[in-house]
Amino acid sequence: MASRAGVVTTFEPSKTIQPIYTGGDVAIDQEGQILVTCLGEDALLTDLSTGELLARVEGDGEVLTTLSITPSASHIITCSRSLSMRIYALHTSENLQSGISPVLLRTLKPHATPVVTATVDHTGTLLATGGADGVVKVWDIRGGYVSHTFRGHAGVVSALHFFEVSSIRADNEDVVIGRRKGRRKSNGHQDKELNSVEIDGTEATASFRLASGTEDGKIRVWDLTKRKALSTLDSHVSVVRSLDFSPEHQILVSASRDKTVIIWDSRSWKVRKVIPVLEGVESVGILDHGKYIYTGGETGRVRIWEVESGREITQEQTTGGEGDEITHILHHLSLPFMICVHADQSLILHSLQPISTVGPSGTIEPLPILRRISGTHDEIIDLAYVTPDRSLLALATNSEDIRLVSLATRDASESSSTAAKYFGADIALLQGHEDIIICLDVDWSGCWLATGAKDNTARLWRIDHANGAYESFATFTGHAESLGAISLPTNPPPVGSPAHTDPLSHPPPFLLTGSQDRTIKKWDVSPKHSSNAGSKLPRALYTRKAHDKDINAISVNHNLTLFASASQDRTVKVWSFEEGEVQGVLRGHRRGVWSVKFAFKDTPTITGDSGPTSSSRGLILTGSGDKTLKIWSLADYSCLRTFEGHTNSVLKVLWMPPAEQNTTAGITTHSTKRRVQVVSAGGDGLVKIWDANTGEVDCTLDNHTDRVWALAVNPEDNTLVSGGGDSVITFWKDTTSSTIAATAAASTARVEQEQQLQNYIHRGSYREAITLALQLNHPARLLALFKDVVNTKPPEEGSLSGLKAVDEVLANLAEEQLFTLLLRLRDWNTNARTAPVAQRILWVVVKSYPAGKLSGLKGRGRGGGLKEVLEGLRAYTERHYKRMEELVDESYLVDYTLREMEEVAFVDGVVVGEDLVMV
C-alpha cells in the first residue's frame, strides 16, 4: 500500500450543492431567517443567512400544492395532490445551529379536491385553505379542526388573505371595552371576537375578516365572527392572484391576470381606484403603511406604485426574458427586503431602502438586488474553477446566463439574510448571451472565462472577484450555427512578465471555437477588441472546415504548438496551432467523440497495449459515445490503450494533475515512479478514475442520479468537482493520504492483535483468546480453541463446555459477537468432523441465553438473518442425527453377527474352555 502513496486512489464526497426549490409555494418567517421551499414532494427548511439545510420534511409521494409557515416559525403546513394536509410542529434551537426538528402533529383531508392556495393569519393560529371545489375553510392550527367553512364560489379559489377591520368610535362612553354579548362557541373553540384597542384617545374594535379570490375574477369578503359573506367584489375579468390589506388606510388591494390592480374601500367595499399595470400580475402587497404597493408579474420586474395617485414611481425597466416571470413575492412588514420568486426557480432579494427616499413627485431607481439564490441549477452542462485562488465556480446551467458560485468557507461575522457569504452562495450572474450556453473554458490565471452558446457567439469575460467586477470583455461573432467547443491557453506566461504579474490587465492572446457549422476559428484577442474600446469587433485569424459533423470539444497542448478537435463524426483531428493545418487524424472510436484533452507537460511514460511508449511527443485522451476512453500517442497517432467500464457514453475526460503540482496532499513521489491517472464522467452517472498504465479502474465515484456532463479538478488539492443532469454539484475530496494512514494503522494493530492471540493460546488463556479470536474474525483459530476446550480431560465439574472460564465467556458475549459465533457454528456444523464441537458449543449457548434474547439478534446484513442461520443449523443437525441413527441400526447387524458366530461349531475344531482351537 505504501508504494501507491503517490497515486490518488480514494475520494469521498466532501460537499455538495443541491437544489432547494423546484417550483411551487415558498414561505418565510417574520424574522426573515427561515426559508421554506418545495422540492418535489418534500419541503426544505433553509437558513437564509448561512444556506445550511435546517430540516427536510418528507412528503407522501405526491407533489406539494401549497406550503405555509406561521410567522413565529412554530408550525408548517403542507398540502399535496394526494388530498392530504399535514401539520408539523417545529422545535427550533436558539441559534439554529442544531437545526430544526419537525414533528408531525396530524394528517387531515381538508377538501374533496386538491388545495390550490393556503394562508396563515398574523397570529399564527388560523389557517385558510381554498380548494379546486370553490370551498374555503378556516382551520385551527393547534387544534387541527375546521372552525369555518365558506361556500359560494363557483370556481377554483386562487387567492386568500386574513385581515382585520377597525371601526373607530369618537364617543368613548358608548364603547364597553372587552365586552360583547352573544359570544358563540363552535366545537369547543372560541371564535375570534371584536377586540378593543385605543387609537389617539379613541377606542376601536377589530373584527377579523377573510378575503378570497377565484378564477372567475370574483372576490368575497367573509366575516369570521358572523360566519357569512359581507360582500362580493366583482370587477376583475380574470384570475385573482393576490390580495393584501392596509389597516391604516382601510383598503384592500387585489391583483389579477387581467393586467389591473384594484384598490377597494373596506368601509363601503366599493372601488376606490383601478391601476392599469399592463401586465399579468401574480403578486401584490402593501408598503410603507399603505402609502405604496408593489406588483410583480409576467415582465419579471418589481414595480412600485403610489396608492393615492395610482402612478408608478419606479423608473421604466426592460422586460425580462423567458423564465424571468415573477410567480410570488414574499414580504413581511418587519423586513427591509422582499423576496421575488421567478419562474426559473431563482429567488432574488430586493432592498426596500429606496422607498424611504421618494419625494412628493419623484421617482426611484428599480429596487436594488441584494443577492440571488438559485433554487435549482437545472441541468449542469459545464463548469470551471475561476479566480486565482479557485474560490468561485462558473456554471453553465442550461440557460443563457453563467452563474458564479462561492466556494469560500462561511464567515459567520459577515453572513446575514441580505448579504450571505457561504459555500454555494450565488455571487454573480453573467448576462449577455441570448441563448443557452453550451461550453466554457478558463485560462491559467482564472481571471478570464470564455463561453460559447446557441446564439452562434462566443464571449470573453473578465472576472475581477476582489473588486466585485464581472464584465463581458469581448464578443466573437462569425459562426453560422451553435458553438459546441471553446478553448483558452492554459500555460502561464513567463514568471515576472507583466501578463503573469497582472493577468487582469492582459487578456489571453487567442481564443479557439468550434461550432455545429463544422468549422474551427482562431480569434485574435487584444485590448483593442474590448467591449469598452469601441465598436470594432474581434476578427478571426483563420477559419477551417474541420469535420463532417458537430464539433464537441477543443483542447490546446501545453506549449501552444498543437490543438485537437473532437467531433460527432467519430474522429479527432490534431492541428498545428499557428497555421491551422491538420497534422494527424485519430480514428478508432465507433461513436461520436465528446471530449478531448492533451496530457500535462512532462507526463511520465505509460505502458500501452503493445508495451512501454514514450510520451515525449505528447499524449491525447479522448472520451466517446461508444462508452470507452482512449489514450493516443502523438508520435504516430496510434491508440496506446482503451479503457472500458462505463455503461453509457463517456461525456467528459481529463488528466489528473502531476504529483509535483500537488502541494496540499503531501505527495512527493518522483515523476519517473509515478503512475499516470485519468478521470472520466459518463452518461451512467458515474465518475471513474483510471490507471493509465494498466487500464484498470482505481476508484468509482457515485453520487449522481443522472448523466454527468461536467468535470473539473483543482490542481492545488486534487479536489474533483462533477455536475450533471440531476442539478447536483459534488465535490470529491482526495482522501488518499488519510486512507493510507488509516490502512497502515489498522494493519499494524491487526498484527499486534494476532501476536497477542498467539500469546493467549500459548499460555492457555482461553477466555482472552476466544474474545480476541471473535474480534479478529479468525474462524480456524477459534475452532482449534473450542476443540481443545471440548476435549479437556477431565472436564471441570459443573462446566458445560469443559472449562468454566469458557462458559463464562460464552455467557457474556455482545450481540454482534454472539451472532458471529452462531454464524461460525453454522459453518462448522456442515462438516461431520467439526460438527461435534459445533453441537457442544451450540448447546452451551442455548443454555446460557434466554430464548427472548436469541430471537432478538439481528444480523446487520452479514450472513443473512437469525432465521437463516437457525435454518442452516437445523438442516445439518437433522442430517447428522439421521446418520447416527443409521449407524445405530447398522450396529444391530454387527451385534447379531457376533452372537451367531459364537454359536458356530466347526467340524475340525475343539472347544477348550472359552477358547476355540483350530486343528
Side-chain angles (χ1 to χ4, degrees):
M1 194 69 177
S3 63
R4 300 180 64 183
V7 180
V8 177
T9 54
T10 57
F11 281 82
E12 292 180 0
S14 58
K15 297 177 181 178
T16 58
I17 300 177
Q18 301 187 12
I20 63 170
Y21 175 63
T22 54
D25 267 356
V26 181
I28 191 171
D29 69 326
Q30 63 183 2
E31 300 296 329
Q33 192 170 11
I34 301 174
L35 179 69
V36 188
T37 55
C38 294
L39 185 64
E41 64 188 54
D42 300 335
L44 301 188
L45 283 75
T46 306
D47 190 331
L48 198 58
S49 301
T50 64
E52 295 181 0
L53 180 64
L54 301 175
R56 186 186 189 103
V57 180
E58 299 291 339
D60 57 7
E62 293 289 342
V63 176
L64 296 180
T65 56
T66 66
L67 180 65
S68 305
I69 185 172
T70 56
S72 61
S74 61
H75 296 80
I76 66 168
I77 304 95
T78 63
C79 298
S80 72
R81 289 182 181 175
S82 64
L83 306 183
S84 68
M85 178 173 73
R86 295 185 175 187
I87 302 177
Y88 296 85
L90 301 181
H91 299 290
T92 308
S93 58
E94 184 175 351
N95 53 8
L96 294 181
Q97 291 184 356
S98 302
I100 295 177
S101 299
V103 178
L104 178 63
L105 298 181
R106 53 186 53 86
T107 301
L108 307 167
K109 183 178 180 180
H111 294 263
T113 58
V115 176
V116 178
T117 183
T119 187
V120 178
D121 79 322
H122 69 90
T123 65
T125 58
L126 295 181
L127 169 73
T129 58
D133 54 3
V135 177
V136 177
K137 292 185 179 182
V138 180
W139 303 77
D140 185 288
I141 294 177
R142 292 179 174 83
Y145 56 84
V146 178
S147 60
H148 302 74
T149 300
F150 298 119
R151 293 181 172 85
H153 286 298
V156 177
V157 180
S158 56
L160 292 169
H161 184 70
F162 283 104
F163 62 96
E164 298 178 31
V165 176
S166 299
S167 179
I168 301 176
R169 303 179 183 179
D171 188 3
N172 292 341
E173 295 179 357
D174 294 336
V175 179
V176 179
I177 300 177
R179 182 171 61 192
R180 176 176 173 86
K181 296 181 180 181
R183 296 192 179 190
R184 63 171 71 121
K185 296 182 180 180
S186 175
N187 297 326
H189 168 69
Q190 185 172 355
D191 293 333
K192 296 286 182 178
E193 302 296 344
L194 296 177
N195 301 316
S196 296
V197 296
E198 186 169 334
I199 303 176
D200 297 332
T202 65
E203 290 183 0
T205 56
S207 181
F208 281 83
R209 304 281 193 266
L210 174 65
S212 60
T214 57
E215 286 190 345
D216 59 6
K218 290 183 174 58
I219 302 171
R220 280 182 169 80
V221 181
W222 309 90
D223 190 322
L224 298 188
T225 304
K226 298 179 180 179
R227 300 174 177 271
K228 67 176 183 178
L230 295 180
S231 181
T232 300
L233 315 180
D234 187 6
S235 288
H236 286 294
V237 295
S238 187
V239 182
V240 178
R241 292 294 298 134
S242 184
L243 298 164
D244 203 1
F245 183 80
S246 171
E248 293 84 1
H249 292 73
Q250 294 290 298
I251 56 173
L252 177 71
V253 181
S254 62
S256 170
R257 288 179 180 169
D258 62 6
K259 303 184 180 182
T260 64
V261 170
I262 299 179
I263 301 175
W264 307 83
D265 191 327
S266 64
R267 296 180 179 87
S268 61
W269 293 118
K270 294 182 179 180
V271 175
R272 180 181 293 185
K273 187 176 294 294
V274 177
I275 301 177
V277 181
L278 303 181
E279 67 166 318
V281 184
E282 296 293 322
S283 187
V284 70
I286 301 292
L287 293 174
D288 198 11
H289 305 288
K291 187 176 180 181
Y292 304 103
I293 61 172
Y294 63 80
T295 61
E298 59 187 13
T299 63
R301 301 292 181 258
V302 179
R303 304 166 69 182
I304 309 299
W305 307 79
E306 193 175 53
V307 171
E308 290 298 326
S309 63
R311 69 180 181 91
E312 182 180 1
I313 64 172
T314 46
Q315 297 178 4
E316 185 176 355
Q317 306 173 63
T318 58
T319 302
E322 183 180 358
D324 288 338
E325 299 89 347
I326 295 176
T327 59
H328 304 80
I329 295 181
L330 308 178
H331 174 60
H332 284 285
L333 295 177
S334 58
L335 300 179
F337 62 87
M338 64 171 60
I339 301 178
C340 294
V341 183
H342 293 260
D344 61 356
Q345 288 90 46
S346 63
L347 290 75
I348 301 180
L349 278 69
H350 292 271
S351 172
L352 298 177
Q353 192 276 334
I355 296 178
S356 60
T357 62
V358 179
S361 59
T363 59
I364 60 173
E365 295 283 340
L367 297 183
I369 296 176
L370 298 175
R371 56 178 290 207
R372 297 175 183 269
I373 302 174
S374 295
T376 177
H377 290 299
D378 201 1
E379 188 170 8
I380 299 169
I381 300 176
D382 206 352
L383 55 79
Y385 285 97
V386 293
T387 71
D389 59 355
R390 305 300 190 267
S391 61
L392 295 183
L393 194 67
L395 304 176
T397 60
N398 203 25
S399 69
E400 60 271 19
D401 304 324
I402 290 290
R403 298 178 182 179
L404 297 184
V405 177
S406 173
L407 303 182
T409 306
R410 178 175 67 91
D411 188 347
S413 61
E414 297 183 10
S415 292
S416 65
S417 298
T418 56
K421 296 183 178 180
Y422 56 83
F423 183 88
D426 288 66
I427 299 299
L429 195 68
L430 307 185
Q431 297 177 313
H433 283 290
E434 298 177 355
D435 209 334
I436 295 175
I437 297 173
I438 299 178
C439 53
L440 57 83
D441 194 22
V442 66
D443 75 331
W444 67 273
S445 67
C447 297
W448 298 91
L449 178 70
T451 58
K454 283 187 175 182
D455 60 4
N456 306 346
T457 67
R459 283 180 178 264
L460 184 65
W461 306 84
R462 184 175 180 270
I463 311 297
D464 185 4
H465 182 50
N467 297 315
Y470 316 96
E471 58 186 7
S472 175
F473 177 80
T475 303
F476 304 86
T477 305
H479 282 290
E481 294 189 40
S482 301
L483 272 72
I486 199 164
S487 183
L488 288 171
T490 56
N491 60 319
V495 177
S497 63
H500 189 279
T501 306
D502 185 17
L504 282 171
S505 301
H506 297 80
F510 70 88
L511 175 69
L512 288 172
T513 58
S515 169
Q516 289 184 3
D517 62 11
R518 306 167 190 176
T519 64
I520 291 175
K521 291 179 181 288
K522 179 184 176 183
W523 302 87
D524 176 30
V525 180
S526 58
K528 65 182 180 181
H529 296 141
S530 168
S531 300
N532 300 325
S535 59
K536 187 174 181 179
L537 295 177
R539 65 183 182 90
L541 298 178
Y542 59 72
T543 301
R544 298 289 183 267
K545 172 68 169 61
H547 291 272
D548 296 330
K549 292 186 179 180
D550 299 352
I551 299 172
N552 294 327
I554 293 178
S555 179
V556 183
N557 71 343
H558 60 84
N559 56 9
L560 298 184
T561 58
L562 300 172
F563 71 90
S565 60
S567 170
Q568 284 296 112
D569 64 6
R570 299 178 292 181
T571 66
V572 175
K573 291 186 178 181
V574 181
W575 308 74
S576 61
F577 179 76
E578 291 297 333
E579 298 82 10
E581 300 296 333
V582 176
Q583 304 298 304
V585 181
L586 311 181
R587 293 185 174 91
H589 282 296
R590 298 185 302 275
R591 296 287 180 87
V593 184
W594 284 102
S595 183
V596 61
K597 277 290 182 184
F598 277 94
F600 290 101
K601 181 181 180 181
D602 299 328
T603 299
T605 299
I606 70 169
T607 302
D609 293 332
S610 58
T613 305
S614 174
S615 59
S616 58
R617 294 287 302 273
L619 301 172
I620 289 182
L621 175 66
T622 59
S624 168
D626 61 10
K627 310 175 188 178
T628 66
L629 297 77
K630 290 180 181 290
I631 293 181
W632 309 77
S633 171
L634 290 179
D636 55 1
Y637 303 105
S638 63
C639 178
L640 302 180
R641 184 170 295 282
T642 300
F643 304 82
E644 297 180 351
H646 281 285
T647 59
N648 209 322
S649 301
V650 178
L651 303 175
K652 199 78 172 182
V653 295
L654 52 83
W655 299 79
M656 289 301 295
E660 290 81 5
Q661 295 183 12
N662 192 328
T663 59
T664 305
I667 297 173
T668 57
T669 303
H670 194 270
S671 62
T672 58
K673 299 180 180 180
R674 187 183 77 248
R675 295 193 306 171
V676 181
Q677 288 183 307
V678 296
V679 190
S680 63
D684 52 9
L686 301 177
V687 176
K688 291 180 179 288
I689 301 174
W690 309 78
D691 185 337
N693 287 286
T694 64
E696 300 294 329
V697 176
D698 279 346
C699 189
T700 298
L701 314 179
D702 184 7
N703 195 47
H704 293 276
T705 59
D706 203 343
R707 63 185 62 192
V708 181
W709 285 106
L711 192 65
V713 61
N714 188 337
E716 297 182 359
D717 58 6
N718 271 8
T719 298
L720 283 170
V721 56
S722 58
D726 56 0
S727 305
V728 175
I729 303 171
T730 305
F731 294 83
W732 304 93
K733 181 182 179 181
D734 178 7
T735 57
T736 300
S737 299
S738 59
T739 300
I740 293 173
T743 302
S747 177
T748 302
R750 189 172 184 84
V751 171
E752 294 175 352
Q753 288 177 328
E754 289 180 353
Q755 183 60 49
Q756 185 104 18
L757 177 60
Q758 293 285 2
N759 296 338
Y760 286 147
I761 295 173
H762 182 72
R763 294 200 305 263
S765 302
Y766 292 109
R767 177 199 298 268
E768 293 81 2
I770 291 173
T771 303
L772 190 55
L774 282 172
Q775 179 181 346
L776 293 176
N777 194 20
H778 281 182
R781 292 181 180 177
L782 189 61
L783 177 60
L785 286 171
F786 283 137
K787 281 183 178 180
D788 293 342
V789 172
V790 171
N791 297 326
T792 301
K793 300 296 182 182
E796 291 186 3
E797 184 178 355
S799 172
L800 299 177
S801 63
L803 292 175
K804 288 185 177 180
V806 175
D807 293 348
E808 185 178 349
V809 172
L810 295 177
N812 294 280
L813 294 176
E815 287 191 4
E816 187 172 355
Q817 290 179 328
L818 181 58
F819 189 83
T820 301
L821 178 59
L822 289 176
L823 289 176
R824 299 290 164 256
L825 295 177
R826 180 196 63 180
D827 297 338
W828 298 335
N829 194 48
T830 60
N831 193 317
R833 290 178 297 178
T834 58
V837 177
Q839 291 292 328
R840 183 70 171 272
I841 301 302
L842 179 61
W843 179 61
V844 176
V845 171
V846 173
K847 287 287 187 180
S848 303
Y849 294 94
K853 183 171 183 178
L854 291 176
S855 63
L857 292 177
K858 295 182 179 179
R860 300 181 183 178
R862 298 188 307 129
L866 180 65
K867 181 179 179 181
E868 288 78 8
V869 174
L870 295 180
E871 284 292 332
L873 284 168
R874 181 186 63 80
Y876 278 92
T877 300
E878 290 178 352
R879 183 179 301 180
H880 294 319
Y881 275 104
K882 184 178 180 181
R883 179 171 50 84
M884 287 188 289
E885 289 175 356
E886 292 175 353
L887 290 174
V888 170
D889 292 342
E890 293 175 0
S891 69
Y892 293 149
L893 178 61
V894 175
D895 292 340
Y896 172 77
T897 303
L898 292 175
R899 287 196 305 269
E900 292 298 321
M901 288 177 65
E902 291 176 356
E903 299 176 0
V904 173
F906 292 94
V907 175
D908 296 329
V910 179
V911 178
V912 182
E914 298 294 330
D915 298 324
L916 176 65
V917 180
M918 303 298 296
V919 180

